[in-house]
Amino acid sequence: MALIVQKFGGTSVGNPERIKNVAGTVIKEKLAGNQVVVVVSAMSGQTDQLIGLCRQISDNPSKREMDMMVSTGEQVTIALLAMALIDQGHDAISYNGWQVGIRTTAEYSKAKILDIDTKLMRESLAAGKIIVVAGFQGIDMKNNITTLGRGGSDTTAVAVAAALKADRCDIYTDVDGVYTADPRIVPDARRLDRISHDEMLELASMGSKVLHDRSVIFAMKYNVPLRVVSSFAEGPGTLIVKESADMEDVLISGIAKKDNEVRVNIAGIPDKPGVASTIFKQLADANINVNMIVQSVGKEGHSQISFTVINTDLDEAKKVMAKLQTELGAESVTYDADIAIVSVVGVGMKVYAGIAAAVFDELAKNSINLEMISTSEIKISVVIRKADAEKTVQALHKRFFLQA
Ligand code: ASP
Ligand code: MG
């Protein structure tokens, strides 16, 4: 008997009919002789609606109360799915995150899972029940309800699978796997049979919405066999696997686009040791994640630093930057939300030279202006105008995938 964790996203549980269908998929796994734990998201659009309600009450809603509010979306779906399973003759029980001991850090709206107490889940499984767990939510050390960040139900599923040492974690979603690019932007994008953890992590953190980035970290760290499959059509999906030597034969695995980041520029700062450290320490202390960073060469004792932050952190970032401007005597702090980041990812970059050059050449040919660049061993990211984002993804996809 295997232990399987299945996760269903918002579209898959988008209405009562679909929830009944999901019950069918769950039952199939159970009838195959397996123990099943199901993790669900809120019904599609629900989380946005809950956030919208909060914003009608306050321009700057309390973060604790926001998490209290948005975590309710998942409570609706766990109850409905458990009901559907019971209705179809199966023993099922739903649990909120806190009921199954999903302990997190105390960071509202971006909490990280620290520990899961598996006792209750093991008891329920031993009693032959199908367990339905609310994704996205947890509880901090002081018993406050927290959420894991948008798309965080994937992370709940993989973390639960890791804690229970599940044999497999299947992420059921509205696409039939991980693609070389978003098929809505690139119609001839291809489904990948498999992708390495590192590549998936880079794609997820750089804008691919198929998997929540932290879910990939859990899968990698705890060796959870992870698969992305469609809830609407049968198919092999995409396996997220350990990197193997033959993967380097493939130049590029995917292209991702991120358009929810804002560039912050602080200019006229003293060009001396400790300045960058002051800036990024204060941002880190305010729990603001910084993505791309570029510092220009100093002139006449002054320099400037640009970096990007996610737009949901912008209000907080502005407070920190105002304080820093005074503290450092900076000339100006400016914000630009009209940017997008496009990233090309592939383990093949480790062995093939010239990929960065090919990226820049393609942008030049398309008269797209490059504003910031950052690279890692397996990724090249460029900041461009938001209006150029789709065109950039299409051009790069053509360049790297057409001939293959
Ligand atoms: N319901 C949450 C969201 O919309 C979590 C999830 O769907 O994974 O972001
Ligand atoms: Mg998702």
Side-chain angles (χ1 to χ4, degrees):
M1 184 165 49
L3 171 52
I4 314 292
V5 174
Q6 298 180 313
K7 184 257 168 179
F8 294 90
T11 316
S12 312
V13 293
N15 60 44
E17 218 39 58
R18 288 186 176 173
I19 292 176
K20 290 182 197 174
N21 277 338
V22 164
T25 309
V26 173
I27 290 167
K28 221 160 133 192
E29 199 71 74
K30 174 80 178 163
L31 291 180
N34 298 317
Q35 292 184 317
V36 189
V37 177
V38 191
V39 173
V40 283
S41 296
M43 294 165 85
S44 53
Q46 194 58 41
T47 308
D48 289 331
Q49 216 170 332
L50 292 168
I51 294 172
L53 263 172
C54 299
R55 301 235 173 260
Q56 286 180 46
I57 295 287
S58 162
D59 288 338
N60 193 9
S62 146
K63 294 202 156 178
R64 180 186 185 279
E65 303 311 328
M66 279 281 273
D67 275 9
M68 182 63 95
M69 178 74 173
V70 298
S71 64
T72 61
E74 273 69 15
Q75 185 167 342
V76 171
T77 40
I78 53 170
L80 292 176
L81 179 57
M83 271 175 219
L85 289 163
I86 294 166
D87 212 50
Q88 294 183 39
H90 290 266
D91 201 0
I93 186 162
S94 67
Y95 292 119
N96 267 321
W98 62 269
Q99 290 178 293
V100 288
I102 300 181
R103 285 284 163 192
T104 72
T105 56
E107 304 161 278
Y108 299 119
S109 84
K110 48 179 160 183
K112 297 183 189 74
I113 296 179
L114 296 171
D115 184 50
I116 300 181
D117 178 3
T118 56
K119 189 166 170 283
L120 182 59
M121 284 195 281
R122 290 208 184 278
E123 280 170 14
S124 300
L125 285 172
K129 292 181 200 297
I130 296 170
I131 302 179
V132 187
V133 177
F136 183 50
Q137 46 167 267
I139 189 173
D140 73 7
M141 290 305 177
K142 292 186 173 154
N143 292 350
N144 297 299
I145 288 184
T146 54
T147 64
L148 309 179
R150 299 306 305 271
S153 296
D154 297 333
T155 297
T156 306
V158 183
V160 164
L164 290 170
K165 299 192 173 53
D167 295 281
R168 210 173 68 225
C169 182
D170 289 339
I171 306 285
Y172 285 84
T173 178
D174 50 358
V175 288
D176 64 347
V178 179
Y179 275 69
T180 49
D182 184 341
R184 279 165 303 192
I185 302 175
V186 182
D188 55 1
R190 290 198 305 257
R191 182 184 55 80
L192 299 161
D193 287 324
R194 48 176 207 153
I195 184 168
S196 74
H197 290 120
D198 284 328
E199 289 170 315
M200 191 65 237
L201 184 56
E202 293 278 21
L203 288 173
S205 33
M206 295 314 288
S208 156
K209 296 199 177 76
V210 185
L211 282 178
H212 192 236
D213 53 2
R214 296 199 60 79
S215 71
V216 185
I217 297 176
F218 272 99
M220 182 155 50
K221 199 162 156 194
Y222 297 100
N223 261 319
V224 179
L226 182 60
R227 193 167 68 127
V228 174
V229 279
S230 162
S231 22
F232 303 111
E234 297 242 351
T238 300
L239 294 170
I240 294 72
V241 295
K242 269 208 181 83
E243 187 180 323
S244 54
D246 60 320
M247 285 180 165
E248 290 179 351
D249 298 343
V250 182
L251 212 52
I252 299 297
S253 292
I255 299 171
K257 162 178 85 78
K258 202 166 193 200
D259 50 18
N260 60 349
E261 298 213 0
V262 179
R263 177 171 49 199
V264 183
N265 177 276
I266 179 162
I269 46 177
D271 189 15
K272 61 173 196 211
V275 172
S277 146
T278 305
I279 295 172
F280 295 109
K281 166 130 195 348
Q282 293 196 20
L283 289 163
D285 288 346
N287 201 10
I288 295 163
N289 291 326
V290 171
N291 191 353
M292 296 178 78
I293 303 175
V294 170
Q295 167 158 12
S296 333
V297 181
K299 253 200 320 233
E300 289 145 19
H302 286 87
S303 76
Q304 56 172 319
I305 295 182
S306 290
F307 56 89
T308 66
V309 297
I310 195 152
N311 55 17
T312 46
D313 278 347
L314 186 59
D315 290 345
E316 289 294 311
K318 281 185 173 168
K319 283 185 212 154
V320 176
M321 294 312 291
K323 189 166 155 267
L324 279 165
Q325 184 171 4
T326 325
E327 224 175 283
L328 298 170
E331 202 174 277
S332 67
V333 178
T334 53
Y335 302 91
D336 184 353
D338 266 339
I339 59 157
I341 307 173
V342 172
S343 306
V344 171
V345 172
V347 291
M349 281 183 212
K350 290 182 190 173
V351 287
Y352 295 98
I355 296 183
V359 169
F360 304 150
D361 176 58
E362 194 57 40
L363 293 186
K365 274 189 186 144
N366 287 276
S367 312
I368 294 161
N369 195 36
L370 256 171
E371 302 179 19
M372 286 166 98
I373 302 166
S374 96
T375 64
S376 80
E377 204 183 18
I378 63 164
K379 178 191 71 180
I380 297 159
S381 296
V382 294
V383 169
I384 50 166
R385 287 292 93 198
K386 200 174 262 178
D388 287 333
E390 297 205 347
K391 182 170 131 190
T392 304
V393 173
Q394 285 156 354
L396 290 173
H397 194 275
K398 206 162 158 190
R399 174 95 178 211
F400 288 111
F401 291 100
L402 199 66
Q403 59 286 54

